[in-house]
Amino acid sequence: MTIHIGAEKGQIAPTVLMPGDPYRARWAAETFLDDAQLVNETRGMLGFTGTWNGHTVTIQGSGMGMPSLSIYVNELIRDYDAQTLIRIGSCGGMQPQVKLRDIILAMTSSTLSTPSSGIFRELNYAPVADWELLRNAVAACEAKSISPHVGGIYSSDVFYDERPDLNKEMVRHGILGVEMEAAELYTLAARYGRRALAVLTVSDHLDTGEALPSEDREKSFGDMVEIALQAAFT
Ligand code: HPA
């Protein structure tokens, strides 16, 4: 047990999938895992452990934003020895070729800051995905006839963004989409020598203002869970 996770040691698997939304953790566990057991409900941030193709997997909500994710990832790594952490979440598309429902695999993530920024001071640290997971995720997409966008994303601290000028610069510099968690996940994984990846579905588009209806979100979310599981266990 930790401050924010009620699971006993041994109840968290070495591989952890992390949606932002705890209800999505429940849906993914019930849909894709065998023998899924609830292992955490502290603060309603649900976590489940079960098996997929014989591999033990935990699906644990991260909450929204890097400060929340940082708490769960620190405890998963430091107290439960998690080795592979894959974010499965939604993002806003930023490029014209990035369409609703598309999958983005985040090779790297730019930020204004993360909860770890204090240790870097004037350095602009570049958080990166684990290469093996990224390569496996590309292969998993191809096996499903999905063409993912692979490249840089933006991990923002705000959903209601008041800096359109900054978004414009990121679009100009090829950033594919915006979410709120990946940069801190990658930074923590690097610090502790663990593997991390963010697999994202485009749920809305900053330029066009389009957004996915909720029934479509479930199907796209299912694809992400399968891609993440394939990537982890290839
Ligand atoms: N901004 C930040 N995070 C997001 C967005 C967005 O537009 N869409 C999904 N996650």
Side-chain angles (χ1 to χ4, degrees):
M1 245 171 96
T2 60
I3 297 175
H4 303 95
I5 301 176
E8 299 299 328
K9 296 225 170 171
Q11 285 190 309
I12 302 282
T15 297
V16 185
L17 269 49
M18 302 193 76
D21 178 353
Y23 293 130
R24 287 215 180 146
R26 180 165 63 198
W27 180 84
E30 286 171 354
T31 308
F32 293 98
L33 301 188
D34 294 322
D35 305 320
Q37 307 284 334
L38 179 72
V39 294
N40 182 50
E41 51 184 337
T42 305
R43 292 181 183 241
M45 197 55 73
L46 306 178
F48 297 82
T49 297
T51 61
W52 179 79
N53 285 355
H55 303 284
T56 313
V57 181
T58 295
I59 307 183
Q60 168 66 54
S62 70
M64 290 179 281
M66 291 184 274
S68 177
L69 172 130
S70 172
I71 290 171
Y72 293 101
V73 171
N74 265 290
E75 293 181 12
L76 288 166
I77 290 177
R78 288 156 37 153
D79 298 291
Y80 295 96
D81 205 22
Q83 298 294 324
T84 297
L85 301 104
I86 305 181
R87 166 164 157 69
I88 42 177
S90 59
C91 71
M94 294 183 85
Q95 297 290 332
Q97 78 275 17
V98 172
K99 309 289 187 199
L100 290 191
R101 297 181 194 81
D102 283 1
I103 297 272
I104 295 178
L105 303 175
M107 193 186 277
T108 181
S109 184
S110 300
T111 59
L112 282 176
S113 73
T114 78
S116 296
S117 294
I119 61 179
F120 294 116
R121 302 187 189 203
E122 67 273 41
L123 182 79
N124 290 312
Y125 176 73
V128 290
D130 177 81
W131 164 241
E132 192 181 45
L133 285 178
L134 181 58
R135 188 175 53 179
N136 293 347
V138 170
C141 287
E142 283 167 356
K144 286 173 147 304
S145 301
I146 291 171
S147 293
H149 303 275
V150 183
I153 63 158
Y154 170 39
S155 295
S156 175
D157 284 334
V158 285
F159 188 88
Y160 298 103
D161 200 341
E162 300 286 344
R163 288 290 303 274
D165 58 319
L166 208 54
N167 287 341
K168 229 165 123 183
E169 285 308 328
M170 279 187 285
V171 171
R172 194 157 80 97
H173 289 84
I175 294 297
L176 297 169
V178 53
E179 50 83 88
M180 299 180 68
E181 292 84 13
E184 176 69 357
L185 171 64
Y186 288 4
T187 302
L188 288 169
R191 189 177 311 153
Y192 291 101
R194 312 301 160 100
R195 308 195 303 166
L197 178 67
V199 181
L200 306 166
T201 300
V202 180
S203 61
D204 52 87
H205 202 288
L206 265 58
D207 201 28
T208 63
E210 306 163 279
L212 271 188
S214 54
E215 60 273 20
D216 286 34
R217 287 180 192 228
E218 200 156 279
K219 160 82 180 88
S220 310
F221 187 69
D223 284 340
M224 276 193 297
V225 178
E226 289 178 328
I227 291 162
L229 289 166
Q230 289 285 357
F233 296 112
T234 299

